[in-house]
Amino acid sequence: MSSPRTETFSDPQEMAWRAADWIAGLIAAKDGPFRLALAGGSTPRLLYGELSLRMIDWSKVEFYWIDERFVPPDHPDSNYRMAAETLLRHIPAQPEDIHPMPTDGDPDDAARRYEALLRTTYRAEALDPARPLFDFVLLGLGGDGHICSLLPGSPVLAENERWVAPVAKGRPEVRLTLTYPCVQSSRVTAFLVTGRGKADAVKRVRAGDMSLPGGRLKPDGELVWLLDHDAARLL
Ligand code: 6PG
């Protein structure tokens, strides 16, 4: 198995800058809608800020989320809020193209509503590796090796039917997450990881360590690692 494409950068700002150029190029090269699945957490903030400065035909882009904390959209821990503050409020994106995960009502019902939206978008019952749902999935990586809210030891790791599921344990708040079958359905998948604290997880996940949620990921399309020197230090 050849090693996935890996790019290492001197610092998070340079990484955000170069990643924004790369993603802008992928959007420009695509005919028709570009389905972009956004990561949460803190690492993507710089990238979203850089993307907001790029000359991009945003009318082509549909925004989705890979996971969400089950809090109101204006809550400080909301992944939607983070993306809105750093990117969406600074670009001419149409409200009908922005698809945050719902965080009202019951978490299981909210997960089913988001899945229904994705299935309507995909227009088929089963995900076909030859026709990925997303054009680009951005992933962060937890120091414990989690991706999205696919947390170590969580039953959601074994979910192969649902596309979106709630995660009740493992974090202070309930989460909604794309499941493996859904998050893997992408033409390009990129890990964006910074910091010394992530170096061990980067090394193990990149080596396919199945004991870590990230190590089980098998994207349908291209996989790319974007790392700063600290996160790449054990490679
Ligand atoms: C979330 C994320 C999660 C995140 C990692 C890394 O909602 O928290 O989607 O998977 O990417 O926890 O988080 P940091 O970027 O904050 O280190």
Side-chain angles (χ1 to χ4, degrees), residues 39-44 66-67 69 79 140-142 146-148 175 198:
S42 56
T43 307
I66 65 170
D67 75 332
R69 295 89 180 267
N79 286 338
L141 181 65
H146 81 261
I147 54 171
C148 308
R175 302 279 186 101
K198 302 284 181 73

Side-chain angles (χ1 to χ4, degrees), residues 13-183:
Q13 186 57 59
E14 188 214 0
M15 183 167 82
W17 201 76
R18 299 273 298 282
D21 282 349
W22 175 50
I23 296 169
L26 292 173
I27 294 170
K30 172 85 188 292
D31 283 335
F34 189 94
R35 297 194 188 120
L36 174 59
L38 300 174
S42 56
T43 307
R45 297 185 74 93
L46 286 176
L47 169 58
Y48 296 165
E50 281 295 331
L51 274 173
S52 74
L53 303 173
R54 295 293 181 279
M55 291 298 293
I56 292 173
D57 176 0
W58 291 109
S59 70
K60 293 170 69 170
V61 181
E62 297 171 11
F63 299 91
Y64 301 88
W65 275 255
I66 65 170
D67 75 332
E68 184 58 279
R69 295 89 180 267
F70 208 74
V71 294
D74 59 357
H75 188 283
D77 295 340
S78 163
N79 286 338
Y80 165 75
R81 175 176 165 176
M82 185 274 278
E85 286 175 348
T86 55
L87 173 61
L88 301 172
R89 286 190 193 139
H90 310 285
I91 61 174
Q94 301 307 310
E96 62 269 23
D97 293 331
I98 301 174
H99 306 288
M101 290 187 164
T103 58
D104 59 303
D106 168 72
D108 188 68
D109 174 63
R112 292 186 189 285
R113 279 182 274 143
Y114 202 64
E115 178 165 336
L117 167 91
L118 295 176
R119 286 180 182 276
T120 302
T121 302
Y122 192 64
R123 290 181 283 104
E125 261 314 296
L127 290 165
D128 173 358
R131 187 174 70 90
L133 168 59
F134 300 113
D135 293 282
F136 193 97
V137 166
L138 185 70
L139 294 176
L141 181 65
D144 60 2
H146 81 261
I147 54 171
C148 308
S149 285
L150 297 170
L151 305 175
S154 171
V156 73
L157 300 179
E159 178 59 63
N160 278 318
E161 299 306 320
R162 297 179 70 170
W163 295 9
V164 188
V167 178
K169 295 197 175 69
R171 287 294 181 275
E173 71 286 314
V174 174
R175 302 279 186 101
L176 299 186
T177 188
L178 299 185
T179 59
Y180 282 116
C182 188
V183 72

